[in-house]
């Protein structure tokens, strides 16, 4: 049970047209009323919910007198119909840096304590206003860097994943009730479901969970981003490719070999997916101590990559360095796309053939003039996302925590289904059904540990 009242500035720090301060908790209206007075002569506690009211913001001086510092709007949201589920007052004052600080300090002096990072959202979660995956989606919405991430985060924030997991949870609860009734009162016909119906219900839960688990492939590619490494021998155009995908000159491009010595990493959008893109030092044997470390780091990155852009100079013949790279790529777990670069200059058949023996994904591009990038993004989308998913409406898992919980629920549901199909005593499915329910309760946060909750909300900013 949360009893204290918190306050924070919810808009970013800095000079702006308007700043919004939020006060939330049992004493929110009382505290805000010590700072804000409506001009219409009514007390703040008499103002109806969700109606913006014009008024004056006062601060109390050291000698106890009050001074007006701004004209502002205040809106009262009464529990439980507020974002946090608690009484909340939002004060929209003018967006001066000192002014905003002064109003916030006045709210603290009036009895509020400073909100911690993400505390308003955490309160919303603790008060049952949103599930944990919705809260995670809200954090994603604030961090979104491309349109697909926005659509996905917004749909997640509306509770799509929780609705799907709740449907499975309810079915399993129903199944358990039937099984327990049959066990406890074997002579009476209390069980609502027959064994065949129970088996079918559990099987349908497993199907739903399998389908939900599969959405993580797309959710990961869009929300978290695919760990992608660009590699190739010096001068094939790796840095030019990196810059073109990022849409800016982030890496130095020259025709001097060995320019990129360290790893460069940034987040980029390619079509519908997000790449956590790393440019690496050109793969070659070198005596230069610094470059050597760079080449080692590049090799290390290859081991962790989910996607590898192996770049070759498509206008020339393959070299022994290209062959050495191809050999190394044969052992990597990531998906390899061979990119024949510099095709604006020409396309050498030997390199084309060489790339086709290396992997089945080959794209001809020019980092210089941008040709081939549409095909490249279509290929990456095809390899890493499920085109039939509609990010605006479908439930999509967007992070590893959600995926792990759904996988645990799925495995337990599959075990329960197998036990039912094998004609084992019917109560043998109960432990597994309960385990699946426990995993789903963790997914939406009903039973998640305090440590995980704190970790999730610590990624929010103060005021959210
Ligand atoms: P890296 O060493 O593999 O990172 O290669 P860079 O990106 O530094 O490029 C090496 C040289 O190749 C530079 O002079 C680039 O301008 C040139 N280059 C890169 N991509 C292309 C391309 O698609 N076409 C042509 N004609 N030149 C390119």
């Amino acid at each position: 049970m949360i009893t204290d009242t918190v306050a924070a500035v919810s808009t970013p720090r800095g000079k702006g047209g308007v700043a919004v301060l939020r006060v939330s908790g049992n004493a929110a209206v009382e505290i805000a009323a010590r700072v804000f007075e409506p001009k219409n002569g009514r007390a703040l506690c008499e103002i109806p919910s969700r109606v913006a009211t014009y008024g004056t913001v006062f601060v109390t001086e050291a000698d106890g007198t009050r001074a007006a510092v701004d004209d502002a709007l205040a809106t009262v949201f009464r529990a439980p119909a507020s974002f946090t589920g608690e009484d909340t007052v939002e004060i929209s004052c003018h967006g001066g840096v000192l002014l905003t600080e002064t109003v916030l300090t006045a709210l603290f002096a009036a009895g509020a304590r400073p909100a911690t990072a993400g505390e308003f959202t955490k309160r919303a979660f603790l008060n049952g206003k949103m599930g944990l995956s919705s809260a995670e989606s809200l954090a994603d919405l604030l961090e979104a860097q491309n349109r697909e991430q926005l659509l996905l985060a917004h749909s997640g924030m509306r509770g799509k994943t929780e609705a799907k997991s709740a449907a499975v949870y309810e079915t399993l609860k129903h199944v358990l009730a039937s099984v327990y009734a049959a066990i406890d009162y074997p002579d009476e016909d209390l069980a609502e479901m027959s064994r065949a119906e129970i088996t079918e219900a559990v099987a349908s839960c497993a199907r739903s969970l399998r389908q939900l688990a599969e959405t993580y492939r797309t959710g990961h590619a869009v929300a978290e981003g695919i760990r992608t490494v660009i590699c190739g021998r010096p001068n094939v155009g790796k840095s030019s490719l990196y810059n073109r995908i990022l849409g800016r000159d982030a890496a130095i491009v020259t025709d001097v070999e060995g320019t990129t010595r360290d790893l460069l990493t940034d987040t980029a959008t390619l079509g519908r997916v997000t790449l956590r893109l790393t440019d690496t030092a050109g793969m070659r044997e070198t005596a230069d101590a610094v470059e050597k470390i760079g080449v080692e780091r590049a090799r290390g990155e290859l081991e962790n990559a989910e996607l590898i852009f192996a770049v070759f100079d498509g206008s020339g013949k393959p070299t022994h360095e290209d062959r050495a790279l191809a050999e190394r790529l044969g052992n990597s777990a990531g998906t390899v796309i061979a990119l024949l670069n510099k095709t604006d200059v020409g396309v050498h058949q030997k390199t084309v053939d060489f790339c086709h023996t290396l992997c089945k994904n080959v794209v001809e591009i020019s980092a210089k003039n941008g040709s081939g990038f549409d095909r490249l993004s279509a290929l990456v989308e095809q390899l890493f996302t499920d085109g039939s998913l509609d990010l605006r409406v479908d439930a999509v898992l967007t992070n590893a925590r959600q995926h792990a919980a759904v996988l645990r629920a799925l495995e337990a549901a599959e075990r329960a289904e197998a036990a039912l199909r094998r004609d084992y005593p019917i109560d043998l499915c109960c432990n597994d059904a309960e385990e699946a329910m426990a995993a789903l309760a963790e997914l939406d946060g009903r039973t998640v540990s305090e440590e995980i909750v704190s970790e999730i909300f610590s990624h929010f900013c103060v005021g959210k």
Side-chain angles (χ1 to χ4, degrees):
M1 185 68 187
I2 311 161
T3 52
D4 56 352
T5 298
V6 292
V9 182
S10 285
T11 39
R13 193 186 151 78
K15 195 161 77 176
V18 175
V20 177
L21 294 102
R22 239 189 207 161
V23 194
S24 181
N26 290 347
V29 181
E30 196 185 318
I31 289 171
R34 293 188 193 125
V35 173
F36 178 91
E37 277 181 18
K39 295 240 192 213
N40 61 14
R42 293 168 75 180
L44 195 62
C45 61
E46 295 167 10
I47 301 293
S49 295
R50 300 159 184 260
V51 177
T53 304
Y54 186 48
T56 309
V57 177
F58 288 95
V59 295
T60 306
E61 305 283 17
D63 62 5
T65 58
R66 297 206 319 154
V69 290
D70 197 12
D71 290 348
L73 287 177
T75 313
V76 178
F77 301 86
R78 289 186 174 78
S82 70
F83 174 75
T84 56
E86 304 165 341
D87 279 354
T88 301
V89 180
E90 283 186 8
I91 299 175
S92 306
C93 64
H94 291 100
V97 177
L98 177 62
L99 172 63
T100 312
E101 287 291 315
T102 304
V103 182
L104 184 63
T105 309
L107 289 168
F108 295 154
R113 75 153 168 83
T116 55
E119 186 163 2
F120 293 103
T121 316
K122 186 174 177 180
R123 285 173 174 231
F125 163 68
L126 294 174
N127 290 321
K129 295 294 286 191
M130 62 169 71
L132 202 54
S133 14
S134 302
E136 285 171 325
S137 292
L138 178 54
D140 291 344
L141 188 73
L142 302 184
E143 298 289 337
Q145 292 186 18
N146 59 47
R147 203 180 135 76
E148 301 300 313
Q149 288 183 335
L150 269 187
L151 296 179
L152 188 57
H154 184 250
S155 144
M157 198 185 79
R158 311 280 302 269
K160 291 275 162 38
T161 302
E162 278 129 15
K164 190 139 192 177
S165 97
V168 174
Y169 189 93
E170 286 307 309
T171 306
L172 291 172
K173 203 162 91 180
H174 204 65
V175 161
L176 279 177
S178 274
V179 174
Y180 286 135
I183 296 167
D184 292 345
Y185 306 99
D187 300 332
E188 293 165 54
D189 196 14
L190 285 176
E192 278 179 42
M193 301 167 87
S194 67
R195 181 169 184 129
E197 283 167 339
I198 287 175
T199 310
E200 184 37 45
V202 172
S204 86
C205 289
R207 273 196 301 277
S208 279
L209 292 170
R210 204 169 299 123
Q211 195 203 14
L212 188 58
E214 278 164 12
T215 64
Y216 179 55
R217 203 166 73 89
T218 306
H220 169 68
V222 173
E224 295 180 317
I226 307 162
R227 291 190 305 279
T228 308
V229 172
I230 301 175
C231 64
R233 69 175 156 86
N235 259 352
V236 289
K238 297 179 298 300
S239 296
S240 305
L241 171 69
Y242 183 76
N243 289 348
R244 178 156 290 275
I245 296 177
L246 283 180
R248 61 190 174 83
D249 282 343
I252 300 170
V253 171
T254 66
D255 48 14
V256 179
E257 297 193 349
T259 321
T260 306
R261 293 160 154 231
D262 208 347
L263 305 174
L264 288 175
T265 298
D266 212 328
T267 304
T269 305
L270 186 71
R272 294 172 70 208
V273 305
T274 305
L275 304 182
R276 277 156 53 202
L277 192 62
T278 302
D279 185 19
T280 62
M283 296 282 197
R284 64 167 175 177
E285 294 308 322
T286 172
D288 182 300
V290 178
E291 196 183 345
K292 225 177 196 158
I293 297 171
V295 172
E296 271 318 303
R297 287 191 179 167
R299 288 179 181 150
E301 280 300 294
L302 284 182
E303 283 168 22
N304 290 323
E306 296 169 87
L307 172 61
I308 298 165
F309 290 148
V311 188
F312 301 94
D313 181 346
S315 67
K317 283 198 285 191
T319 67
H320 72 277
E321 281 160 342
D322 291 330
R323 292 201 173 82
L325 173 66
E327 211 163 287
R328 182 169 289 276
L329 291 178
N331 304 324
S332 58
T335 302
V336 178
I337 298 181
L339 295 175
L340 282 134
N341 190 33
K342 307 198 187 184
T343 52
D344 54 299
V345 181
V347 181
H348 203 293
Q349 193 55 40
K350 282 219 160 108
T351 306
V352 175
D353 296 342
F354 169 76
C355 284
H356 281 283
T357 55
L358 168 64
C359 67
K360 58 180 188 303
N361 308 310
V362 181
V363 185
E364 294 182 14
I365 58 163
S366 165
K368 189 167 190 173
N369 69 18
S371 72
F373 280 78
D374 287 349
R375 259 173 292 135
L376 176 59
S377 63
L379 177 62
V380 174
E381 276 177 26
Q382 184 205 323
L383 291 170
F384 285 87
T385 66
D386 172 357
S388 67
L389 271 184
D390 185 342
L391 300 187
R392 292 163 302 180
V393 293
D394 291 324
V396 178
L397 303 179
T398 51
N399 64 42
R401 184 195 74 83
Q402 297 171 2
H403 186 227
V406 172
L407 281 187
R408 253 187 306 127
L410 171 61
E411 281 159 18
E414 283 176 340
R415 283 198 303 275
E417 184 188 345
L420 287 161
R421 291 210 189 279
R422 283 199 201 113
D423 259 351
Y424 290 166
I426 194 156
D427 54 322
L428 274 186
C429 75
C430 292
N431 273 351
D432 291 322
E434 277 169 16
E435 193 178 323
M437 287 168 74
L440 292 174
E442 265 181 44
L443 172 67
D444 67 18
R446 258 177 283 186
T447 60
V448 79
S449 75
E450 174 57 32
E451 199 182 334
I452 292 176
V453 172
S454 300
E455 156 67 16
I456 288 171
F457 289 103
S458 68
H459 293 294
F460 281 82
C461 49
V462 171
K464 186 63 224 151

